Amino acid sequence: MPAPWRICCNKKSKSKTGKAEMDDMADTSDKMQMKKEITLLNGVSLIVGNMIGSGIFVSPRGVLMYSASYGLSLIIWALGGMFSLFGALCYAELGTSIVKSGASYAYILEAFGAFVAFIRLWSSLLIIEPTTQAVIAITFANYIVQPIFPHCEPPYDAVRLIAAACICSLTFINCVNVKWGTRVQDVFTYAKVMALILVIAVGLYKIGKGETENLKAPFKGSATDPGMIALALYSALFSYSGWDTLNYVTEEMKNPERNLPLSIAISMPIVTIIYLMTNIAYYVVLDMSALLTSDAVAVTFGSETLSYAKWIIPIAVAMSCYSGLNSSIIAASRLFYVGAREGHLPDSLSLIHIKCFTPVPALLFNGLMTLLYLLVEDVFLLINYYCFNYWLFVGLSIAGLIYLRYTQPHRPRPIKVSK
């Protein structure tokens, strides 16, 4: 059945000079495309905004719970940064040699064919994308509600309803206009970085005063069970996920051969340094029992250190989560759009609105899947589901990079990771 949105994209319009022109939403092959509107600054904001989502405010508890010591937890945070940097460099090569949206799905499709890519797509559809977005939305809601219920557990229904409202509002924004979504991303990313700089500054001030009792004997009681260490690394890697955000929207980037690797090169050091310094600040101010019993570590930190200005932290964290969820929604909707375009999802998900230039059906589908995952009560269970599947396919994409080097040695590679 012909899709009315696709039919409309072939309309002719009159220019100011009176000449008939094809509507600028159609390309030379009469296929509708999204505009190239994502700049280098937008790219850095998308990556930093997605990486610094809810993870740094949720995962410190998970990393510390499984590692059982401050020293080992900091090593695990550093290892997470190294893993992510290696993955990001490989994705920079893949993204500049395979200039398609869809990230690992597009790369696996190119390297290993449709069957493996189909599995990757449906894993994202059923597990990876909705779980990470549900975690971010729930964290957003927890931080909004926390100041109202400072001494007791916030109502479960209230948290879930606020999380649902967050998902729905961002889905609407991204349905209306790509620029609305990127502007939200830029503003909220600046706000969250400033909030984390405030946390780091307080921690450095405490260290300068010599308040380092919590960091004495940092490796005492460290976990030795490989399974526990792996779970701690899962939690850290959850916080670092998001460095592949731009690879999902490569087709919408201006000059992707330059801006994609440059965005990654700028973003990764910023995020890694911020994460390590933020965790040190947490550890200086809060003892282990306070960290392990807090569902909102940054709010507890603010209550201990900022006195009357403690309200800044919940607002900043909520803004951070809002930004992280926004970039995740942008990336996931493009993944489903590309998958439908390749025939691995219903054709309706590949439609683009003729006026807004946004993949509205893919956005709505992504929002619905995320709302369903709000019914899961255990946030850390969601994180473990997400991390295993996400990193499995990251590894497969990197294997695809190696495979393509041998099978297609003459493919143009503007960026190449050295052997």
Side-chain angles (χ1 to χ4, degrees):
M1 186 174 70
W5 290 0
R6 292 180 188 243
I7 291 172
C8 288
C9 78
N10 292 327
K11 292 190 304 181
K12 291 189 176 181
S13 58
K14 292 263 186 168
S15 67
K16 290 181 180 179
T17 60
K19 294 180 180 180
E21 297 176 342
M22 288 297 292
D23 195 301
D24 65 359
M25 70 186 73
D27 66 4
T28 56
S29 60
D30 291 342
K31 290 184 180 179
M32 193 167 186
Q33 291 184 333
M34 289 178 281
K35 291 181 177 179
K36 292 181 177 290
E37 294 184 328
I38 297 176
T39 63
L40 174 62
L41 180 61
N42 294 148
V44 173
S45 296
L46 279 169
I47 295 174
V48 174
N50 201 357
M51 291 182 73
I52 306 178
S54 65
I56 190 60
F57 307 108
V58 175
S59 294
R61 177 187 169 192
V63 174
L64 190 59
M65 178 171 63
Y66 293 122
S67 63
S69 74
Y70 289 146
L72 182 57
S73 67
L74 287 174
I75 289 175
I76 287 171
W77 278 104
L79 283 174
M82 291 172 61
F83 275 35
S84 299
L85 178 59
F86 175 74
L89 291 173
C90 292
Y91 268 50
E93 177 177 331
L94 286 166
T96 53
S97 60
I98 304 171
V99 189
K100 294 181 181 179
S101 296
S104 60
Y105 167 74
Y107 311 146
I108 291 170
L109 179 65
E110 185 79 15
F112 301 118
F115 177 71
V116 182
F118 179 83
I119 295 173
R120 162 66 176 97
L121 179 65
W122 279 84
S123 295
S124 289
L125 185 149
L126 297 175
I127 300 174
I128 296 174
E129 302 302 340
T131 54
T132 187
Q133 290 171 31
V135 169
I136 297 172
I138 290 168
T139 306
F140 168 84
N142 273 322
Y143 274 86
I144 289 290
V145 174
Q146 184 82 11
I148 304 172
F149 301 93
H151 304 297
C152 63
E153 190 75 18
Y156 176 86
D157 291 340
V159 169
R160 261 42 185 191
L161 286 172
I162 293 172
C166 175
I167 293 164
C168 293
S169 64
L170 283 173
T171 299
F172 171 76
I173 288 171
N174 283 286
C175 283
V176 172
N177 197 308
V178 173
K179 285 186 177 179
W180 284 21
T182 56
R183 284 171 185 165
V184 166
Q185 193 64 36
D186 292 346
V187 172
F188 281 72
T189 296
Y190 302 148
K192 77 169 73 177
V193 171
M194 293 304 296
L196 288 174
I197 289 173
L198 174 62
V199 170
I200 292 167
V202 171
L204 292 176
Y205 173 74
K206 294 285 186 181
I207 292 172
K209 289 178 64 179
E211 297 181 18
T212 57
E213 292 82 4
N214 291 343
L215 299 181
K216 293 177 180 178
F219 292 95
K220 184 179 180 180
S222 296
T224 56
D225 180 7
M228 298 299 287
I229 294 173
L231 288 172
L233 186 59
Y234 274 171
S235 287
L237 289 174
F238 172 77
S239 294
Y240 280 107
S241 62
W243 43 263
D244 58 345
T245 302
L246 275 191
N247 295 75
Y248 285 94
V249 294
T250 306
E251 294 172 19
E252 296 172 71
M253 289 191 68
K254 296 179 179 178
N255 192 8
E257 289 81 5
R258 170 185 177 271
N259 289 342
L260 175 61
L262 194 55
S263 297
I264 291 171
I266 293 170
S267 303
M268 289 303 299
I270 291 174
V271 173
T272 303
I273 292 169
I274 286 176
Y275 275 7
L276 287 171
M277 296 302 295
T278 300
N279 277 284
I280 290 171
Y282 287 156
Y283 297 162
V284 167
V285 172
L286 303 173
D287 59 30
M288 192 171 293
S289 61
L291 281 163
L292 293 178
T293 55
S294 175
D295 287 327
V297 176
V299 168
T300 306
F301 177 92
S303 299
E304 292 285 335
T305 59
L306 296 180
S307 185
Y308 294 108
K310 63 184 180 182
W311 57 268
I312 294 174
I313 296 296
I315 292 175
V317 175
M319 293 175 72
S320 172
C321 294
Y322 202 70
S323 166
L325 182 58
N326 180 61
S327 58
S328 183
I329 287 172
I330 291 172
S333 62
R334 271 55 177 185
L335 172 62
F336 299 152
Y337 160 75
V338 172
R341 191 176 65 186
E342 296 291 339
H344 291 163
L345 287 174
D347 285 343
S348 58
L349 295 182
S350 67
L351 299 179
I352 302 172
H353 196 282
I354 63 170
K355 294 181 179 178
C356 300
F357 297 95
T358 54
V360 174
L363 282 160
L364 294 177
F365 178 76
N366 174 72
L368 178 61
M369 289 298 300
T370 305
L371 290 173
L372 291 176
Y373 270 85
L374 292 181
L375 301 176
V376 179
E377 294 188 25
D378 187 349
V379 170
F380 290 102
L381 186 63
L382 286 175
I383 290 174
N384 291 336
Y385 284 159
Y386 163 82
C387 284
F388 176 79
N389 285 275
Y390 174 79
W391 285 96
L392 172 66
F393 288 108
V394 167
L396 195 58
S397 298
I398 294 171
L401 179 148
I402 298 169
Y403 176 75
L404 288 173
R405 281 190 180 183
Y406 284 99
T407 58
Q408 301 179 22
H410 302 297
R411 175 189 282 271
R413 291 177 173 87
I415 300 292
K416 188 172 182 179
V417 180
S418 300
K419 295 182 179 179

